[in-house]
Amino acid sequence: MAKEKIMYFCQSCGAESGKWMGQCPACKEWNTMVEERVSKKKTVSSFQNEGRAKVTKLKDIEMAREERICTDIAELDRVLGGGMVTGSMVLVGGDPGIGKSTLLLQVCKNLAAKKISILYVSGEESLQQIKIRAERIGEFGESLSLLCETNLEVIEEIVRRDMPQMVVIDSIQTMYNENVSSAPGSVSQVRETTGSLLKMAKGLGITFFIIGHVTKEGVVAGPRVLEHMVDTVLYFEGDRHAAYRILRGVKNRFGSTNEIGVFEMRGNGLEEVENPSEFMLGGKPKGASGSVVACSIEGTRPILLEVQALVCHSNFGIPRRTAAGTDFNRVNLLMAVLEKRAGLQMGACDAYVNIAGGIKMNEPAIDLGIVLALVSSYKNRPVEEKTICFGEVGLSGEVRAVNLAEQRILEAKKLGFTTCILPEVSLKFLEEIQGIELIGVKSIKDAIDKAV
């Protein structure tokens, strides 16, 4: 019988220690060490594995063509980099009820229509509950199989017997390995279970989608090494009570991590939003001060968004500043630039900045939009309805150039905007675009004079 001993693991990074500590020595997080019972395993001598190792020269490696399978969900394929890669492992995280299981069931529905064999493993719902969710989504093909099981050995046996082309694990925190003595969802169980699934994915050429719970900070629960083991990490963002959902890739070995997918939650599942700009600008007030339309780039996609600001005199000694959807410190910096470089006395004013729609944007190109929204509210003068702006603001009050200016302008023109305020430097690299007036500015003073 293997001997058991008590070890302490960090829930944030997976570091282990023989004694409990208030602060993890690896990642410096507080109160993340948890107690687990582990059993000693016999280690295999390195001399026994000496004959198995094989060294290969770089020039002798033959490149195999990367095979991708389209999910027929354009927004998901965009984030994945063009579709699923055979033998890859994708981790999907997000808040409870945001639509992780619904999205993967829709993927199963589309792939089952192509006669692709799929195994959906659920450790949280019964077969009847999955059936109810599936009937709401639509008709499913016969190549989709369901399994309610949490024992990893049973799952591995069925996968090796049936050899499906795709496996969905819902969720990784409910699975357990009998060789690990700790409880399901613990650091050891999540790490060992994911490692076993990863071996199956690479060894058998099966695509795995695993769903992961998130902590109150919004990151995938379990050791940080979980994200390093998988090939792709996707996060669902957005308020579960709102209609929209944003799928963002934070790691992708087979594509870009700058792309996002936008979905809308409806009664029959998640619906793709083909034009996020029009979706984000829905309900924009007319003739209201403190409302400016700016343009941000996510990957290769320009997105127009409404920047709202409310500036009023403070009734307390310390003014209050609030930022929703953008960096709070960036807003404070831009207000300091306005006071120093534009001569606006905003030090005694409360300021509230919001990116309408709840989307989070931190690209420097929306700096000019935040500045004009603050000034518009401060002076109580609305910005022209069909005016859009973008540009990075420096500490000297200058408006600096940003990338992909032409794509931003064309997106604004498509949605009916007639005026675009942009950095003057960007005008040198642009050809004349019919139907929209381009106004180049050097500093925030010029932008304020032209817009407010």
Side-chain angles (χ1 to χ4, degrees):
M1 183 177 179
K3 294 183 179 180
E4 290 188 354
K5 65 176 182 178
I6 296 177
M7 296 290 292
Y8 296 88
F9 293 89
C10 175
Q11 291 181 306
S12 179
C13 68
E16 59 182 75
S17 172
K19 62 178 181 179
W20 184 87
M21 290 180 286
Q23 184 184 39
C24 174
C27 64
K28 306 302 181 184
E29 293 288 334
W30 288 92
N31 298 324
T32 58
M33 305 296 287
V34 293
E35 175 186 319
E36 292 185 17
R37 294 182 179 273
V38 297
S39 58
K40 291 185 177 180
K41 297 181 180 180
K42 293 183 179 180
T43 58
V44 180
S45 174
S46 59
F47 294 103
Q48 298 180 15
N49 295 325
E50 187 175 354
R52 304 178 189 174
K54 184 180 178 181
V55 179
T56 305
K57 294 185 181 296
L58 179 63
K59 64 178 181 180
D60 297 334
I61 300 175
E62 296 182 0
M63 291 294 294
R65 186 177 179 183
E66 186 182 274
E67 297 183 7
R68 289 185 181 267
I69 302 173
C70 290
T71 64
D72 291 341
I73 300 178
E75 296 295 307
L76 176 60
D77 288 336
R78 175 199 295 270
V79 179
L80 290 174
M84 304 185 310
V85 177
T86 303
S88 64
M89 177 172 280
V90 181
L91 172 64
V92 182
D95 294 330
I98 203 168
K100 304 183 294 296
S101 301
T102 302
L103 175 65
L104 292 184
L105 265 181
Q106 289 182 231
V107 172
C108 294
K109 172 178 174 292
N110 294 343
L111 296 181
K114 298 180 179 180
K115 307 298 182 181
I116 294 176
S117 58
I118 307 162
L119 176 63
Y120 191 101
V121 183
S122 176
E124 299 181 341
E125 296 179 310
S126 65
L127 295 176
Q128 290 76 15
Q129 289 174 320
I130 300 174
K131 177 69 173 179
I132 294 173
R133 188 196 300 266
E135 287 181 346
R136 192 178 74 244
I137 295 175
E139 294 288 335
F140 281 74
E142 296 182 356
S143 60
L144 172 63
S145 302
L146 301 179
L147 173 65
C148 290
E149 184 58 62
T150 57
N151 190 330
L152 182 64
E153 291 185 0
V154 177
I155 297 171
E156 186 173 353
E157 180 183 349
I158 294 176
V159 170
R160 293 185 181 276
R161 183 191 67 194
D162 297 344
M163 289 297 294
Q165 295 173 264
M166 172 181 162
V167 178
V168 178
I169 304 294
D170 184 9
S171 67
I172 191 63
Q173 276 82 12
T174 61
M175 304 298 156
Y176 72 93
N177 188 338
E178 289 184 341
N179 297 325
V180 181
S181 58
S182 55
S186 62
V187 175
S188 300
Q189 283 285 6
V190 171
R191 182 174 56 201
E192 295 298 326
T193 303
T194 305
S196 299
L197 295 175
L198 185 62
K199 288 179 182 178
M200 280 196 292
K202 303 302 180 184
L204 303 177
I206 299 174
T207 303
F208 273 79
F209 276 84
I210 60 177
I211 294 176
H213 296 164
V214 296
T215 62
K216 60 182 179 181
E217 290 82 14
V219 298
V220 175
R224 197 67 180 180
V225 70
L226 177 62
E227 296 188 11
H228 296 296
M229 294 169 68
V230 301
D231 298 308
T232 305
V233 180
L234 306 180
Y235 275 103
F236 250 130
E237 298 177 358
D239 188 355
R240 58 179 297 188
H241 302 292
Y244 67 89
R245 302 287 189 271
I246 296 174
L247 185 66
R248 189 185 303 272
V250 297
K251 176 190 175 182
N252 194 348
R253 288 176 179 161
F254 310 109
S256 171
T257 57
N258 296 322
E259 299 288 353
I260 66 169
V262 184
F263 298 88
E264 183 182 3
M265 180 61 79
R266 296 185 179 177
N268 59 347
L270 290 165
E271 191 76 20
E272 299 176 66
V273 178
E274 298 180 356
N275 192 343
S277 299
E278 187 175 3
F279 184 78
M280 295 298 173
L281 295 179
K284 181 180 180 298
K286 294 183 179 180
S289 62
S291 175
V292 176
V293 178
C295 185
S296 179
I297 290 284
E298 286 290 335
T300 58
R301 165 187 282 179
I303 297 180
L304 304 189
L305 44 91
E306 181 190 358
V307 181
Q308 297 177 332
L310 179 63
V311 180
C312 54
H313 289 285
S314 176
N315 294 323
F316 304 97
I318 302 177
R320 185 177 181 182
R321 310 285 166 80
T322 302
T326 188
D327 187 16
F328 170 77
N329 295 322
R330 190 70 182 173
V331 173
N332 285 335
L333 183 148
L334 293 175
M335 292 189 67
V337 172
L338 280 172
E339 186 160 352
K340 183 74 174 180
R341 306 299 178 185
L344 299 177
Q345 302 301 319
M346 306 178 72
C349 296
D350 293 337
Y352 307 90
V353 176
N354 175 47
I355 305 296
I359 191 170
K360 296 179 181 179
M361 287 291 179
N362 291 319
E363 194 200 9
I366 66 172
D367 285 354
L368 189 58
I370 296 174
V371 166
L372 294 181
L374 288 168
V375 176
S376 172
S377 178
Y378 179 75
K379 295 185 175 182
N380 202 23
R381 297 178 187 172
V383 177
E384 182 64 30
E385 185 70 25
K386 295 298 182 180
T387 298
I388 186 177
C389 63
F390 60 86
E392 180 182 359
V393 175
L395 294 181
S396 299
E398 78 279 12
V399 180
R400 307 173 71 91
V402 294
N403 62 338
L404 303 176
E406 185 175 357
Q407 285 87 330
R408 301 173 197 260
I409 297 171
L410 293 176
E411 179 73 10
K413 179 185 174 182
K414 186 170 67 174
L415 291 180
F417 288 87
T418 57
T419 306
C420 179
I421 301 176
L422 70 161
E424 191 176 57
V425 181
S426 299
L427 289 176
K428 301 177 182 179
F429 307 99
L430 293 174
E431 299 180 359
E432 185 178 354
I433 300 177
Q434 300 293 332
I436 186 168
E437 180 185 4
L438 304 181
I439 301 177
V441 293
K442 290 184 178 180
S443 65
I444 56 174
K445 281 188 175 181
D446 296 340
I448 293 170
D449 292 340
K450 299 288 176 56
V452 183

